[in-house]
Amino acid sequence: SASRGRLSLRSDDLATLLDEVRSCDDATFLDRRRGPALVLMHGPLTTAESSTSRYVLRKAKVVIPRGERSEILTLGRHPDNDVVAPWTSISRFHAALVFGRDRALLVDRGSRNGTYVGGQRLVADMPRVLSDRDEISFGHELHGQLLSTRSLLATLRSLQAA
């Protein structure tokens, strides 16, 4: 966990999440983790990998759950961002996500290499509503997926059973 100015940014790795799922029932997990989670990974994402949340989650480096409040999460190479992504295809101030309890919005902040949802490049400064399991790319080096709390739980339970 890291604390940055306007919000408290919490991130978990896969092992932490699996431990949490093992230690509680579904209702408790859903109560503890309200709002969607952003799963991030570095490196290329192939079509075969993107076909299931399970595989994507296995590769995940960071899972950022959001709380009940609306919060803005910035991403870019510059250290003033909430998520600092130091790769060359990521602009200094690349994108922003606005998280609410029931939805999330993504905004490209005029990045050079683009922000993509489902393979479609976003228009700079035009918010895009994200849906559960949307695949997101920031430049060509950072990829992610937005998961509702229920989708995150289902994916973790399937990994637990494997």
Side-chain angles (χ1 to χ4, degrees), residues 106-108 114-117 120-124 126-128 130:
L106 177 61
V107 179
D108 180 275
T115 302
Y116 299 80
V117 176
Q120 293 186 319
R121 188 173 181 150
L122 300 185
V123 175
M126 294 285 296
R128 164 83 180 258
L130 296 175

Side-chain angles (χ1 to χ4, degrees), residues 21-82:
V21 164
R22 284 185 195 106
S23 70
C24 66
D25 61 18
D26 290 1
T28 303
F29 182 88
L30 293 171
D31 188 54
R32 285 182 188 162
R33 294 187 172 265
R34 299 183 182 214
L38 178 64
V39 179
L40 293 174
M41 65 219 77
H42 174 246
L45 183 64
T46 67
T47 305
E49 290 173 352
S50 66
S51 62
T52 65
S53 301
R54 181 175 166 168
Y55 190 81
V56 169
L57 196 54
R58 281 193 193 279
K59 288 185 62 177
K61 300 298 183 196
V62 178
V63 179
I64 303 170
R66 304 308 321 149
E68 290 186 62
R69 300 188 336 243
S70 291
E71 295 177 339
I72 298 172
L73 178 77
T74 61
L75 181 141
R77 274 195 341 260
H78 195 277
D80 285 346
N81 287 289
D82 299 307

Side-chain angles (χ1 to χ4, degrees), residues 75-148:
L75 181 141
R77 274 195 341 260
H78 195 277
D80 285 346
N81 287 289
D82 299 307
V83 176
V84 177
W87 304 287
T88 57
S89 73
I90 305 297
S91 295
R92 290 177 352 133
F93 299 98
H94 196 100
L97 291 109
V98 180
F99 288 95
R101 173 139 170 81
D102 296 322
R103 70 179 187 159
L105 302 171
L106 177 61
V107 179
D108 180 275
R109 297 169 72 194
S111 66
R112 176 176 293 202
N113 292 308
T115 302
Y116 299 80
V117 176
Q120 293 186 319
R121 188 173 181 150
L122 300 185
V123 175
D125 300 317
M126 294 285 296
R128 164 83 180 258
V129 176
L130 296 175
S131 299
D132 187 28
R133 299 184 185 271
D134 269 350
E135 294 173 9
I136 305 164
S137 295
F138 304 95
H140 58 267
E141 295 174 277
L142 186 63
H143 305 280
Q145 190 171 39
L146 185 81
L147 295 175
S148 69

